[in-house]
Structure formats: structure tokens, C-alpha cells
Amino acid sequence: MIVWQMNGGRAMQQDFAANVRATGTALANSSRNPAALLLVCDHWVVSGRRALAVTPIPEPSAQKHWFRAAALAVKGGAQCHQAVEKDDVSLLGRSVRTLISARNELDEVRLRFRHFGVRIDHRGPSERAR
């Protein structure tokens, strides 16, 4: 599992964590800046597709949750993009629920890593601990 993290897994986990933070900010400012929300939606799709293409996590339960998180990220990001383009509040709500499900799956991955004593740092190299 440590090798998986060192070969791109940690960077993808940090990318997903950044998506979660950016989504909250973009949603809060969406009425003033819908283009920023559109970018965040698209980044979820890109992150999910990258995660689907990576070498599997060598622990089956963690991999199951990783795959679900990635698939939900792609689905939720695509729904979000469509909702912003169509100004569809109902679809935006569904997309947010899908993205929350993706985040919950990522939390399960983190728990599996912790179970095996592998530390996961969701902050990027330039972010300080809070």
C-alpha cells in the first residue's frame, strides 16, 4: 500500500481532497461566479478518470472503495457540469449528493490505510496543517 501511495496514489488522494475544499468554495460563490463552479465540476471528472486508470490498490477493500469513489467522482462531476450549463438546481443537488458519496468512499479508503498503519496526508506540499 505504501508503494501504491508513492507511485501516484498519495497525489491523487490529495487531489480529491482539494476538490472537496474547492467545491464548497465554488458552491458558495456560484451565483456570482458560475464559471468557477464549472471548472471544479470538470476537475472532479478528470480526477475520477485518473483514479480509474491507476494501478489498483493491493488491498481489496481499499480498492473497492477507491473504484467507487472514482466512478462517483466522474458521475457527480458530469452531473454538476450539466447542472451549471442548464442552470438546473435540482440536478446540481443530485450532483452534490453524488460527490458527497464519492467523498464518503474516499474516507473508507483512508480508514483502510489507517488500519494497516499507512499515514495519509490530504494536504498538498504547499498547504500547512490546521
Side-chain angles (χ1 to χ4, degrees), residues 104 106-117 120:
N104 292 341
L106 291 168
D107 288 344
E108 290 296 325
V109 173
R110 188 183 72 227
L111 289 174
R112 295 303 305 156
F113 274 72
R114 269 198 206 155
H115 175 76
F116 288 101
I120 295 178

Side-chain angles (χ1 to χ4, degrees), residues 38-106:
L38 198 59
L39 288 173
V40 170
C41 298
D42 292 346
H43 197 76
W44 275 102
V45 174
V46 170
S47 297
R49 287 182 179 155
R50 283 183 191 152
L52 288 170
V54 73
T55 303
I57 300 172
E59 197 278 317
S61 180
Q63 176 57 31
K64 174 185 75 172
H65 291 293
W66 182 256
F67 179 82
R68 285 183 188 164
L72 288 166
V74 171
K75 178 181 177 182
Q79 288 173 329
C80 179
H81 182 105
Q82 187 178 21
V84 173
E85 282 190 336
K86 293 183 175 187
D87 199 24
D88 185 335
V89 176
S90 177
L91 182 56
L92 184 61
R94 284 194 306 273
S95 74
V96 169
R97 287 188 295 278
T98 301
L99 294 173
I100 289 170
S101 294
R103 174 153 193 258
N104 292 341
E105 291 294 337
L106 291 168

